[in-house]
Amino acid sequence: MILLPVLLPAAAAVVAFFIRAHQPRRLLLAATAAAHTVVTAWMWADPGQFPALGDWLALDGLGRLFLGITSLLFLAVSVYAVGFLRRESHSESSSPAADPEEGFLFTNIPEALFTACLLGFLAAMTLVTVSVHFGLVWVAIEATTLVSAPLIYYHRHHRSLEAAWKYILLCSVGIAVALLGTYFVAAAVPRGGGGVSSLTFERLLARAGQLDPRWLKAGFLLLVVGYGTKMGLAPLHAWLPDAHSEAPSVVSALLSGALLNCAFLAILRVVSVLSAAGLGEFSRQTLLVFGLASMAVAAGLIIGQGDYKRMLAYSSVEHMGILAVGIGLGGTGDWGALFHAVNHSLVKAALFLLAGNLLAVYGTKKIPEVSGALRRVPVTGVLWIAGFFAILGAPPFGAFSSELAILRAAIGSGSWLVVVLYSVLLAAVFAGMIGVLVRMAQGTPGSVQATVPAESVAAPAKRVAAAAERIAIPAERAPGAEPLLALLSPIGLLAASLALGLFVPDFLGRTLQQAMRLLGA
């Protein structure tokens, strides 16, 4: 039964690839997402119905938490994706689209391949959450890289190719380092420790006192570097801004809201082993350094940023740093970090979907060229403002509670340098992003390009005049109109973040407590 949430999207991916008609394929995408959410809810409600599969798959508090986040986000993205794919179908090989930034023509990858990769991406991320063996976790995270690369290359032009290539190259280097770290952890197991099964988290925790601390420390450092690359921790984050900026917004939402969590989960697994082995202080101090460094790098890059999708990507680097700081502090910081992972995923996914709405109307990712969003697209504009305040940790959104919990952990531990750095960096990011928000939301709406499929907006006429007759520009709606499918998911995600700021449901609170116990809190 525990294989069900993995096999369901995997099988749907195969079927989607061979379906030729667009509408049945889109319905399959949404139906699979809904079914996956139902199965996930079942796993939360009655985990006893999903027993472990040997030494490889099992469902614990940590896995259940991140499985819930992944499934919920994918459901929201699939609703948005139905409308997105309907519009983007005009930009396949028969009808090239014009790039809004440089004016050249390009075609998207086939929708069948894109949908299959989306579903395969869900299957791979689900496998990460239910894997309890170091080797299988490594395989699953590598699978997320391979199946998501075509998603980043959806718009087949040179910038998306560069972003996909950088993503594959850097994440592959990172995963290779993580593999070496896995070997080092295996070397820490005493001889006769059980062979392959010795790398399960349960057995490592049970025999933590017998592990060689030197190999374990070395393995941890390599695993943090390797999985930290996929998580987006600075200075290992170089792939992240390009991938998030050039991928379609539906993909960016999953990359930031779900994929980064998969790498974070892998690191948490290792932290739990080191804590049980008496090396908790070493592992947490290491993460604290990476966390503060990530927040500092992100703050410097957010201030003065001219591309709003890249700004959101750097914001993800900042928030991965916040997660690392919380785990580095321990205690209340563990609760804050885990709760913040939930809040960040909800809000950042909503913001990337809203960024797709803005890009569809304004035809640019350049911040100076977007103004008057509240007048041009009023619902998106209001949600954009709410999302910015939510991601900046303003009350009453959930991120306020989680960031405050981490700050309280720093104060409680007497780490005054961390208190100062953490507070100053949060304030710097707030100052950098709030100015962007005011410029984009207020003012007189600028000139709007003719609306073309979703995020592909016609370039200046003189640059594509020769091919004007070959470009299909649908007139489905007037510029600035806001389709319902483009608003439902952001509204739902932001409403969930708001609700978490007001109260934490019992089922979520219990799962957070179970996850904290695995971390040794």
Side-chain angles (χ1 to χ4, degrees):
M1 286 290 286
I2 198 169
L3 273 175
L4 183 59
V6 178
L7 296 179
L8 179 65
V14 176
V15 174
F17 184 77
F18 290 103
I19 295 178
R20 297 297 93 189
H22 291 326
Q23 192 61 24
R25 190 190 309 112
R26 295 165 192 159
L27 291 175
L28 176 64
L29 172 64
T32 302
H36 190 275
T37 303
V38 170
V39 172
T40 299
W42 184 12
M43 297 175 80
W44 273 64
D46 191 4
Q49 295 296 318
F50 297 85
L53 183 63
D55 293 323
W56 302 94
L57 302 177
L59 190 66
D60 57 16
L62 279 171
R64 187 162 61 250
L65 176 66
F66 288 101
L67 174 60
I69 297 172
T70 301
S71 186
L72 181 62
L73 286 194
F74 195 88
L75 177 63
V77 165
S78 69
V79 172
Y80 186 98
V82 171
F84 166 79
L85 291 172
R86 183 184 301 137
R87 297 186 298 272
E88 284 285 334
S89 63
H90 294 274
S91 298
E92 292 196 12
S93 57
S94 60
S95 302
D99 180 72
E101 297 184 26
E102 300 178 47
F104 55 78
L105 300 179
F106 69 91
T107 57
N108 298 329
I109 67 172
E111 184 180 319
L113 176 60
F114 181 79
T115 305
C117 286
L118 268 181
L119 292 166
F121 194 26
L122 174 61
M125 291 189 293
T126 301
L127 182 59
V128 173
T129 64
V130 297
S131 297
V132 291
H133 188 287
F134 266 104
L136 186 57
V137 168
W138 182 88
V139 171
I141 290 182
E142 173 66 359
T144 63
T145 302
L146 298 177
V147 78
S148 58
L151 301 176
I152 297 173
Y153 187 52
Y154 178 66
H155 299 305
R156 295 188 289 192
H157 52 62
H158 70 93
R159 293 194 313 275
S160 60
L161 176 61
E162 179 183 352
W165 175 250
K166 186 181 293 186
Y167 171 67
I168 294 173
L169 181 63
L170 294 180
C171 288
S172 295
V173 171
I175 206 69
V177 174
L179 180 60
L180 183 59
T182 303
Y183 290 150
F184 277 35
V185 171
V189 178
R191 292 182 181 276
V196 173
S197 63
S198 66
L199 285 180
T200 62
F201 299 115
E202 183 178 359
R203 296 199 180 191
L204 286 171
L205 290 173
R207 305 185 60 183
Q210 303 173 30
L211 301 178
D212 188 324
R214 295 168 298 178
W215 284 109
L216 202 54
K217 285 183 178 181
F220 174 77
L221 291 175
L222 291 172
L223 286 167
V224 168
V225 170
Y227 291 138
T229 301
K230 196 66 173 281
M231 183 179 168
L233 292 176
L236 314 167
H237 66 286
W239 66 270
L240 194 147
D242 287 341
H244 285 61
S245 178
E246 296 304 327
S249 289
V250 290
V251 178
S252 301
L254 288 175
L255 290 176
S256 187
L259 177 64
L260 302 186
N261 286 341
C262 290
F264 180 49
L265 173 59
I267 292 175
L268 292 179
R269 299 285 194 191
V270 192
V271 169
S272 66
V273 173
L274 266 76
S275 295
L279 300 174
E281 186 70 17
F282 170 79
S283 62
R284 292 180 183 275
Q285 288 297 318
T286 301
L287 286 178
L288 189 59
V289 171
F290 271 103
L292 291 172
S294 299
M295 292 182 69
V297 169
L301 292 170
I302 286 174
I303 297 173
Q305 179 57 236
D307 181 315
Y308 54 86
K309 285 193 73 177
R310 291 182 75 89
M311 180 185 64
L312 293 178
Y314 288 125
S315 171
S316 293
V317 175
E318 179 219 0
H319 285 275
M320 292 304 104
I322 291 174
L323 298 184
V325 169
I327 298 300
L329 292 168
T332 306
D334 287 344
W335 186 91
L338 294 171
F339 189 44
H340 195 70
V342 178
N343 288 300
H344 170 258
S345 296
L346 294 173
V347 177
K348 189 57 63 65
L351 282 171
F352 270 116
L353 296 181
L354 293 169
N357 293 350
L358 294 174
L359 183 54
V361 172
Y362 286 90
T364 180
K365 293 178 288 186
K366 297 177 181 178
I367 293 171
E369 297 179 16
V370 177
S371 62
L374 283 173
R375 298 184 184 181
R376 183 73 248 175
V377 277
V379 179
T380 294
V382 169
L383 294 174
W384 187 249
I385 293 173
F388 260 66
F389 278 106
I391 206 65
L392 290 171
F397 292 97
F400 172 76
S401 300
S402 53
E403 290 182 1
L404 182 60
I406 295 173
L407 180 61
R408 288 175 57 195
I411 295 173
S413 65
S415 304
W416 298 110
L417 178 60
V418 175
V419 171
V420 172
L421 291 175
Y422 180 78
S423 303
V424 169
L425 292 172
L426 286 179
V429 171
F430 187 93
M433 292 184 69
I434 206 69
V436 170
L437 175 63
V438 172
R439 288 196 297 272
M440 294 180 69
Q442 299 295 329
T444 303
S447 60
V448 181
Q449 302 278 5
T451 302
V452 303
E455 299 178 3
S456 305
V457 184
K462 63 180 181 181
R463 302 183 67 175
V464 293
E469 295 182 358
R470 294 193 292 116
I471 304 176
I473 303 179
E476 298 178 11
R477 63 184 189 272
E482 301 177 85
L484 181 62
L485 288 177
L487 299 173
L488 283 177
S489 294
I491 290 173
L493 292 170
L494 290 175
S497 176
L498 178 61
L500 289 179
L502 300 176
F503 70 98
V504 179
D506 289 340
F507 67 87
L508 178 58
R510 288 194 301 269
T511 300
L512 291 172
Q513 292 296 328
Q514 292 169 9
M516 286 178 64
R517 285 196 291 271
L518 289 173
L519 294 174

